[in-house]
Amino acid sequence: MTSPAPPPSLPGRRDECDLLRRLVAAAKAGRSQALVLRGEAGIGKTALLNFMLERTAGCRVVRAAGVESEMELAYASLHQLCSPLLGRLDGLPGPQQEALATAFGLRSGGAPDRFLVGLAVLTLLSSVAEDRPLICVVDDAQWLDQATLQALEFVARRLAAEPIAMVFALRGSDHEPRLTGLPELVVRGLGMRDAATLLESTVNGVLDARVRTRILAESRGNPLALLELPRGHSTADLAFGGDVEEVAPPLARRLEHEFLRQVDALPTLARRLLLVAAAEPVGDVLLLWRAAERLGIDADTAAAAEDAGLLQVRERTRFRHPLVRSAVYRAATDAERRQVHAALAEVTDPEADPDRRAWHRACAAVGPDEAVAAELERSADRAQAKGGLAAAAAFLERAVILTPEPLRRARRSIDAAQAKVSAGAFAAAARLLTTAEMGPLGEAERARIEVLRARLSFAADRGNEALPLLLTAARRLERIDATLARDTYLDALAAALFAGRLAAGPGAHEVARAARAAPALPQPRKGDLLLDGLAVLHTDGYDAAVPLLQRAVSTFAREDLTVDEGLRFAWLAAATTTLLWDDSNWDRLSRRHLDFARQSGGLSALPLALNTRIVVHLFTGDLDKAAFLVEELRSVTEATGNGLAPYGEVGLLALRGDPEVAEPFIQSCLDDVVTRGEGVGVNMTAWARAVLCNGLGRYDDALRWARVPAAQPLETGIPQWALAELVEAGMRSGDVAAAAVAQEQLTAMATASGTDWALGVRAAREALLRRGPAADELYREAITRLDRTLIRSEQARARLLYGEWLRREGRRVEALAQLRAAHEALQAMGAQAFAARARQELQATGEAVRRSVTAEPAELTPQELHIARLAAQGLTNTEIAAMLFISARTVEWHLRKVFTKLGLTTRRELRRSLPAVDDRAVSAAQAGGSLPRARGPRGGRPRPTPS
């Protein structure tokens, strides 16, 4: 007799089941799908996952589940998911193989780049899916460790053409949103009729109508509640409520209570085995039995727990429901939990898994234990190498609890707080600083706490509250620790630059004076050189500071950086390059800062690093790359709660030139930064509006907005750019005097800087004030100089200005050449307003502007265009995949669409149809890496992350 077919759907879940059927069918048909099931505990997420898994015949399935006690162990859940697939690890490209092996502790090395880990997982899953469709199921995703969460989010957002379905199930939470932005299904309670049917199926005998109504009301359609609340109760119990609590606790707690009723009925040793399984979150059966043996539990004991349906012990241990695990663990006494963790620590291999062993030892500690605290401190270094600063901070925080000696406890609290600040865990950092303050601190420790409180304020909210705190701390440190004092002065200058005109109290000039009066170090470090240069800038002016700042920036760009230098000061060095108009080092240092933030897990630094890199891409004309980073920045901001304004997106929208989208967003950003006292934001939003209005030909508005940042010429970067916008807007609006004054300032800075970027912009704007041969010569100089830089947006705008001038001079043929080049470049970038200006000028010459491949957004999407350009340059699908952090199959899928849309059949035809991309990127990808890290003016070497 054949077995009956599974039911067509779960009761009351027809729509949800249909969606999951379609998801599996899509994967079998070669179309990637990702889905997040979100709902409260017991709502039926796991049942829906099981329903889906029953329909995966012909597919390979890999599973993982988040475990609350493992949330601090980086990549723990990712290892669960990937461990059955690690036989294919050797087939990954070298850098990806190294990153994933290091993340899983299979090889030693520095902290792997988290994006390279994500790419490695994507490549691994895609490789497995080539054999047959792959279904990835992740339950209890609310308990995934942060590193795993980031890697799996990375993969889920890049699935496109692989036969892969990825489904997450997690409890909904407004406090810590996870997996936002992916397709999701909110699983709600059953309807009254379906809930009543389910309840009646679990009750033997007649159920009093009033009790039935109460249970249905209390369960709110939650299936697990309907199944478990009546379990173990007689109809008399249910009818007369002998043990019903007067005030019903939260539903999850009531469900745990019902599970515990079943646990309490088990023999003592069976209950103890359940506790071992609850404390051993990996599901390692051999480890479970070794620990059980030490506790006097034999193999037959598992039968009672399995017969009760609470635990399954096969190739891995698995609880019937996550609430069983949490109920068992929470119900145990402290002594019982310590006993179990001690047994697990004894049987965990100290060589293969030292960090989890240290964690179990910490959980087993009766009270303060210096040996265990020291082991946790050592584990923190290893944890940072594998999982970044967040993992290190978690171990340090636990070490604080176990440290018996008050002064050492306070110092460890300070170290842990510092790691928490860098990792973006601001609330935890504040608590640890409070703990530190209760210790017997010396003056040095108290000064460190002052500095960390100020850095915490600055990292959490870039407003002006941190500035006076940092200045006070720096002055106090001068006689205690000259090195830390100088670092703190540099932090104070950074805070002053952010506060700018909105500084409430001391400003950059006061900080600079104090820094110059502070004791110097015998051997100045990179940060000291930067501090000296910025201090001179704000006391003696631009000309005096340029040589000092050029030396400092060159040192940051050329020499190796410590983690502290990379996270704390590299962004300031990168910002200083804009003051110097140094495009090569701007590109190099912004990359380095982003690399450090990603590789170390420095989430407090990552939003600033991304914003900086986005703005670099705006000037280099890579608006597609800027847009990708904007999306990443949104995810990071959601994850960290970092309050930094979206400066990169402000600039991107301005350069794209759609006023209906840009102006409301820019105004909202301006309102926010003014409220926080973030003066740099006033400059950024005003410059962005000036760019937007110059592109749209609204020159009076552009002039008004450009005046705002131009009035603060010593602030980093933005005022210099605003001077150029002011000259153009002034001449086009008829305010020649304003343009002339701005041009004089621009010329002085460009002369002192001496870079092609500065001198090229100066020449292009000076030409606007000149006539005849003088103007012609200046335009030619501008184009020649800017062609030697990375600043392609200014190259194109200089050609636009020259072409506009040539047309008005009646030199039609020459004008056409410049305007065509400007239009093609601006259109390819996506700078639509400036491209429209060029198109109007071309049409005024009588030119019929041809429709180009990149001229119509509906023709190719930005990603299709990017992939097409790389393919046209000769990169293979695998090289493009590594470069763009997608799979080779997705590249192939995009290229099929490109060929269809453009009516092409070969890559040779593609090369003739599309402009080339940066040769540095191509050579780096072909060398086996990803996007290049600039080393010289045009040189490069492979780097592992897109930036």
Side-chain angles (χ1 to χ4, degrees), residues 629-659:
L629 293 185
V630 164
E631 291 301 318
E632 180 184 340
L633 177 60
R634 287 174 182 161
S635 298
V636 170
T637 301
E638 289 174 2
T640 63
N642 190 290
L644 185 65
Y647 294 127
E649 189 168 5
V650 164
L652 176 63
L653 294 177
L655 201 51
R656 279 178 169 169
D658 183 344

Side-chain angles (χ1 to χ4, degrees), residues 63 241 492 558:
R63 302 184 67 165
R558 185 181 66 251

Side-chain angles (χ1 to χ4, degrees), residues 876-889:
T876 66
N877 288 1
T878 300
E879 291 165 347
I880 296 171
M883 190 171 179
L884 300 185
F885 280 60
I886 54 179
S887 70
R889 186 187 289 265

Side-chain angles (χ1 to χ4, degrees), residues 246-450:
E246 291 185 12
V247 179
L251 181 59
R253 213 161 78 225
R254 292 206 64 189
L255 292 173
E256 286 186 358
H257 178 71
E258 295 305 323
F259 283 130
L260 284 176
R261 290 172 60 90
Q262 299 165 50
V263 171
D264 289 343
L266 296 176
T268 300
L269 289 180
R271 295 200 303 271
R272 187 173 299 169
L273 180 66
L274 285 174
L275 181 57
V276 177
E280 196 292 294
V282 178
D284 186 329
V285 173
L286 294 178
L287 192 66
L288 173 75
W289 285 121
R290 287 201 298 269
E293 184 179 358
R294 286 184 174 270
L295 295 170
I297 305 171
D298 59 35
D300 294 337
T301 304
E306 290 191 289
D307 289 344
L310 296 169
L311 183 71
Q312 184 183 71
V313 183
R314 297 291 183 269
E315 69 281 356
R316 292 175 67 182
T317 57
R318 193 181 299 276
F319 283 93
R320 181 168 105 212
H321 191 277
L323 286 175
V324 178
R325 180 193 295 274
S326 59
V328 168
Y329 193 81
R330 290 175 185 173
T333 65
D334 290 342
E336 289 170 335
R337 286 197 290 261
R338 286 195 297 269
Q339 184 183 35
V340 164
H341 279 293
L344 286 167
E346 289 171 6
V347 299
T348 299
D349 189 334
E351 297 296 327
D353 203 351
D355 299 339
R356 190 170 278 111
R357 179 178 180 272
W359 198 259
H360 281 309
R361 288 194 69 196
C363 294
V366 177
D369 187 322
E370 177 55 32
V372 177
E375 186 174 349
L376 285 168
E377 196 168 30
R378 290 191 295 272
S379 288
D381 293 333
R382 292 191 298 267
Q384 182 168 341
K386 288 170 57 178
L389 288 163
F395 279 83
L396 289 170
E397 185 176 24
R398 194 67 179 235
V400 169
I401 298 171
L402 296 177
T403 303
E405 199 273 315
L407 180 58
R408 183 172 292 169
R409 176 185 172 94
R411 287 173 174 167
R412 281 177 175 156
S413 296
I414 296 171
D415 292 338
Q418 183 168 329
K420 291 285 187 181
V421 170
S422 297
F426 302 136
R431 289 195 299 271
L432 284 161
L433 289 176
T434 300
T435 299
E437 287 173 327
M438 296 189 306
L441 301 176
E443 194 170 8
E445 287 81 17
R446 294 198 179 280
R448 277 191 70 196
I449 290 174
E450 283 185 15

Side-chain angles (χ1 to χ4, degrees), residues 9-25:
S9 61
L10 298 172
R13 298 294 191 207
R14 177 179 298 175
D15 292 343
E16 293 90 339
C17 292
D18 286 346
L19 178 60
L20 292 171
R21 282 195 196 93
R22 293 195 300 271
L23 184 141
V24 173

Side-chain angles (χ1 to χ4, degrees), residues 193 211 219 276 336 378 558 563 612 653 709 853 929:
R193 179 178 297 176
V211 175
S219 68
V276 177
E336 289 170 335
R378 290 191 295 272
R558 185 181 66 251
V563 173
T612 302
L653 294 177
V853 169

Side-chain angles (χ1 to χ4, degrees), residues 55 162 343 592 641 741 826 932:
R55 285 147 183 83
E162 300 82 0
R592 294 192 80 178
V741 170
L826 292 164

